[in-house]
Amino acid sequence: MNEIQTNIYNAARSALTELLNENRPFFNPVRLLAIGGSSSEMDGGVIGHQSTYELGEALAQAVIDMSKEHGFSCAFQCCEHLNRALVVERETAEAYQLNIVCVVPQPKAGGSLATAAYRAMKDPVVVEQVSADAAIDVGQTLIGMHLRAVAVPIRLKTNTIGHATVTAARTRPKLIGGERARYSID
């Protein structure tokens, strides 16, 4: 990896560590993490205009490494040309009963991040949608559509990866019942 790739890899690990360590009452455990990323934005450009596979590869590898270390599954969002479908391991698709579609992402149709994830995974498939417990969005790729309700924004100290803005969220169950409701046993 060159210096830029190393910086992206390290910043991604830092952002993920912060997100995983954010523990507020009622947060769902992070079992499935969705990630979207624009290599164009990471490189200082405009989303969708200068896809750089090596930057997508650095981000994908950081997430895959963290998923192995912390025991969560990951879903990598494709670009709008593939309707923001997601790359996951087949075992994840089967465990969550996700709808598999037939497509193989490419840098110009799916994006560099999804393409790199697809190439790095053991048995990758593409699915239409997920309901993730947490998400990281690198470069304002609009990852929120793949989060469970209720999404809670998390302000990370690592708020950029490369030149791209980082947005993160965790989810929690809906609080229902009104003023008489209690949300803990004690």
Side-chain angles (χ1 to χ4, degrees):
M1 277 196 254
N2 65 31
E3 185 178 349
I4 295 170
Q5 292 168 291
T6 300
N7 289 342
I8 286 170
Y9 180 90
N10 291 335
R13 286 185 61 91
S14 177
L16 277 165
T17 299
E18 286 182 61
L19 181 63
L20 294 171
N21 288 336
E22 186 71 37
N23 289 313
R24 296 185 195 168
F26 307 114
F27 271 177
N28 292 313
V30 179
R31 293 184 191 104
L32 179 60
L33 176 109
I35 182 152
S38 167
S39 63
S40 300
E41 293 279 333
M42 287 187 281
D43 202 25
V46 177
I47 193 168
H49 285 73
Q50 62 187 61
S51 189
T52 307
Y53 178 78
E54 294 77 17
L55 302 185
E57 188 176 40
L59 180 56
Q61 197 58 58
V63 176
I64 290 169
D65 289 350
M66 291 288 287
S67 74
K68 290 175 183 172
E69 292 168 24
H70 295 275
F72 62 84
S73 297
C74 42
F76 295 87
Q77 180 180 266
C78 297
C79 72
E80 75 276 7
H81 297 102
L82 296 186
N83 299 326
R84 303 215 185 281
L86 302 110
V87 176
V88 299
E89 289 283 6
R90 182 177 302 278
E91 69 182 353
T92 300
E94 291 171 356
Y96 286 91
Q97 298 179 334
L98 302 173
N99 189 26
I100 298 172
V101 295
C102 289
V103 70
V104 176
Q106 303 298 314
K108 298 289 185 186
S112 291
L113 174 64
T115 302
Y118 193 93
R119 292 176 183 171
M121 288 181 169
K122 178 178 60 175
D123 189 13
V125 295
V126 178
V127 299
E128 285 187 298
Q129 61 187 26
V130 301
S131 292
D133 303 303
I136 289 193
D137 187 328
V138 181
Q140 300 175 331
T141 63
L142 302 176
I143 193 74
M145 65 197 301
H146 296 298
L147 281 167
R148 301 167 131 207
V150 170
V152 179
I154 304 296
R155 303 288 182 247
L156 303 177
K157 292 177 185 166
T158 306
N159 57 14
T160 59
I161 294 179
H163 295 280
T165 301
V166 174
T167 305
R170 294 276 304 263
T171 63
R172 64 162 174 78
K174 295 177 181 179
L175 302 176
I176 64 169
E179 66 183 53
R180 292 184 183 184
R182 297 197 54 162
Y183 301 111
S184 63
I185 293 173
D186 45 1

